[in-house]
């Protein structure tokens, strides 16, 4: 049997002009577009040209000084994302800046679309927010329910470049936007700087079928580049696997771009899976070299356990103990960040070399 060529799998999906146009036109079924068919014809023709010629990044710029290949033409979108990350890192490192907490709502529910009712997760976020404000922190809220209720907000899937080579996974991610495939409106370029600027991250999330809600999981996958990702796409001339593999095999340093930030976790459910998800989130953040704010900063529980969903908000109102646990997570996280900023907290593993950084 001949050896399998690992570079070859299924043939590429290349749409015909007719199929491309059919899919493109499906967005414009609203009768309001009927008088605009001539304009749509012109737009579809231009879009087909970009697709047929695979123009992933139609606007590029010379990378410039500080890159392995300063003459390499790189996406202006990526350059802007990189600058935002660097600015956030400078803010994070500036001792004169107010320390920041990133509060993440992991729920996909909101009152702004189906189901027409806010999530319990959002209520817990708003419960925790004043704690950080009272402790003197600046608070950024990342509300992942906007993915389901706001136009132009998407988190595209991770393409698993890491499985080819860590050096092929760029920091920040360079897979998107891909204009030729209409993979645009990617939210991650705004999300990366929020993580970078934060000194503490608190995730509050429900459990969906034993695991993270879709939006939260998508963000988790796309944060893989923060854990060992390559900050210089010119070193691999974009997405060239052979160059990336050669670079990795020379000895990859696995830079931990979010290392040293503290975290707290709240997971709630109604019947099963809360502890499983809480443990998974803690493991994920710890693997990225973030630091738990301690046992009081990691909690899971059930609101209205095995009771009707219709009563769930009333169950939250009545569950003062769980509300108190959420407040404790916030306080513990805030205390950990304050101690760290004051030089009174030291990571017990600081200075130790991980023999297997992968």
């Amino acid at each position: 049997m001949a050896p399998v060529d690992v570079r070859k799998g299924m043939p590429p999906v290349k749409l015909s002009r007719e199929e491309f146009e059919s899919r493109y036109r499906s967005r414009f079924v609203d009768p309001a577009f009927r008088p605009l068919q001539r304009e749509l014809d012109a737009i579809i023709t231009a879009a087909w040209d970009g697709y047929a010629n695979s123009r992933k990044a139609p606007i590029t710029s010379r990378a410039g000084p500080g890159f392995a290949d300063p003459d390499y033409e790189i996406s202006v979108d990526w350059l802007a994302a990189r600058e935002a990350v660097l600015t956030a890192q400078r803010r994070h490192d500036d001792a004169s800046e107010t320390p920041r907490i990133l509060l993440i709502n992991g729920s996909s529910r909101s009152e702004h679309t189906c189901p027409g009712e806010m999530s319990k997760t959002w209520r817990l976020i708003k419960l925790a927010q004043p704690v950080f404000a009272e402790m003197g922190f600046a608070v950024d809220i990342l509300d992942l329910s906007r993915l389901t209720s706001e136009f132009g907000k998407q988190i595209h899937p991770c393409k698993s470049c890491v499985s080819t080579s860590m050096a092929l996974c760029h920091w920040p991610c360079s897979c998107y936007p891909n204009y030729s495939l209409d993979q645009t409106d990617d939210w991650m370029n705004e999300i990366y700087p929020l993580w970078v600027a934060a000194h503490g991250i608190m995730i509050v999330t429900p459990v969906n079928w034993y695991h993270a809600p879709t939006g939260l999981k998508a963000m988790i996958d796309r944060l893989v580049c923060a854990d060992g990702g390559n900050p210089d796409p010119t070193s691999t001339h974009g997405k060239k696997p052979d160059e990336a593999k050669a670079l990795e095999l020379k000895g990859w340093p696995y830079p931990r771009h979010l290392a040293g930030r503290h975290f707290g976790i709240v997971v709630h459910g109604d019947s099963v899976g809360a502890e499983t998800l809480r443990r998974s989130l803690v493991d994920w953040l710890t693997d990225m070299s973030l630091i738990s704010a301690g046992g009081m900063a990691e909690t899971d529980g059930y609101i209205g356990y095995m009771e009707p969903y219709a009563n769930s908000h009333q169950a939250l109102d009545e569950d003062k103990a769980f509300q108190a646990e959420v407040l404790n997570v916030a306080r513990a996280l805030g205390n950990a960040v304050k101690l760290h900023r004051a030089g009174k907290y030291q990571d017990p593993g600081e200075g130790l070399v991980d023999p297997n950084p992968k």
Side-chain angles (χ1 to χ4, degrees):
M1 181 181 295
V4 175
D5 186 342
V6 297
R7 295 167 296 181
K8 295 180 179 179
M10 294 293 291
V13 176
K14 202 66 176 178
L15 302 182
S16 67
R17 177 67 168 80
E18 293 73 22
E19 178 63 22
F20 177 87
E21 180 170 342
S22 175
R23 295 188 186 186
Y24 207 98
R25 285 191 184 279
S26 68
R27 307 163 184 213
F28 303 101
V29 297
D30 191 317
F33 291 105
R34 287 175 184 168
L36 303 173
Q37 293 310 302
R38 181 180 299 176
E39 289 83 355
L40 282 175
D41 288 344
I43 290 171
I44 290 170
T45 297
W48 167 255
D49 185 66
Y51 172 77
N53 291 286
S54 300
R55 285 198 298 275
K56 173 187 176 183
I59 304 176
T60 61
S61 175
R62 180 176 174 271
F67 288 92
D69 184 353
D71 294 322
Y72 181 73
E73 290 289 325
I74 196 166
S75 165
V76 295
D77 295 289
W78 186 86
L79 289 172
R82 172 182 182 265
E83 184 55 38
V85 164
L86 292 176
T87 299
Q89 186 66 55
R90 287 191 291 269
R91 181 196 294 174
H92 174 274
D93 296 342
D94 187 346
S96 67
E97 286 274 354
T98 302
R100 308 191 75 84
I101 299 293
L102 178 59
L103 258 175
I104 300 176
N105 171 26
S107 177
S108 299
R109 289 167 51 84
S110 85
E111 69 274 29
H112 304 298
T113 182
C114 346
E117 181 178 79
M118 74 169 60
S119 68
K120 296 181 290 296
T121 313
W122 179 252
R123 293 182 59 191
L124 296 174
I125 287 285
K126 299 305 287 184
L127 183 67
Q129 183 181 6
V131 173
F132 295 116
E134 291 166 7
M135 296 179 78
F137 293 103
V139 179
D140 294 309
I141 295 180
L142 175 56
D143 179 8
L144 293 175
S145 76
R146 293 169 66 187
L147 289 165
T148 61
S149 61
E150 184 176 324
F151 179 84
K153 277 281 180 281
Q154 299 185 63
I155 296 178
H156 290 291
C158 176
K159 296 180 180 178
S160 302
C161 298
V162 169
S163 291
T164 292
S165 169
M166 191 74 244
L168 199 63
C169 182
H170 300 142
W171 167 253
C173 178
S174 67
C175 292
Y176 303 100
N178 185 324
Y179 290 94
S180 68
L181 295 180
D182 196 31
Q183 295 170 345
T184 59
D185 297 326
D186 187 63
W187 197 7
M188 288 305 299
N189 282 348
E190 297 176 42
I191 290 175
Y192 292 130
L194 292 174
W195 278 78
V196 172
H199 299 85
I201 293 97
M202 180 173 171
I203 299 176
V204 185
T205 184
V207 55
N208 289 4
W209 285 118
Y210 290 88
H211 221 289
T214 304
L216 177 58
K217 184 58 169 66
M219 182 188 68
I220 289 171
D221 288 349
R222 292 288 302 286
L223 277 164
V224 64
C225 58
D227 189 51
N230 181 359
D232 185 357
T234 75
S235 65
T236 58
H237 292 96
K239 295 290 186 176
K240 293 190 175 179
D242 291 343
E243 292 187 23
K245 290 180 178 184
L247 190 60
E248 182 181 15
L249 292 174
K250 288 180 181 178
W252 190 249
Y254 289 91
R256 310 293 186 183
H257 299 290
L258 297 175
R261 290 157 179 81
H262 294 265
F263 70 84
I265 300 290
V266 176
V267 177
H268 66 91
D270 57 71
S271 58
V272 291
E275 181 180 3
T276 300
L277 178 54
R278 190 257 305 165
R279 290 179 182 275
S280 293
L281 292 174
V282 169
D283 287 349
W284 162 60
L285 291 164
T286 302
D287 282 350
M288 290 205 301
S289 297
L290 280 77
I291 304 167
S292 171
M296 292 295 287
E298 302 173 12
T299 194
D300 61 78
Y302 297 95
I303 299 170
Y305 181 70
M306 297 299 287
E307 296 178 6
Y309 294 110
N311 301 332
S312 62
H313 278 281
Q314 181 180 345
L316 175 56
D317 290 337
E318 296 171 354
D319 197 338
K320 303 301 182 184
F322 192 75
Q323 293 179 39
E325 288 183 40
V326 173
L327 294 173
N328 281 339
V329 171
R331 294 185 186 109
L333 176 58
N335 288 335
V337 172
K338 279 183 172 289
L339 287 170
H340 185 80
R341 295 272 288 180
K344 297 178 181 179
Y345 180 97
Q346 183 178 359
D347 179 4
E350 186 174 347
L352 301 179
V353 178
D354 186 351
N356 295 300
K358 178 178 181 294

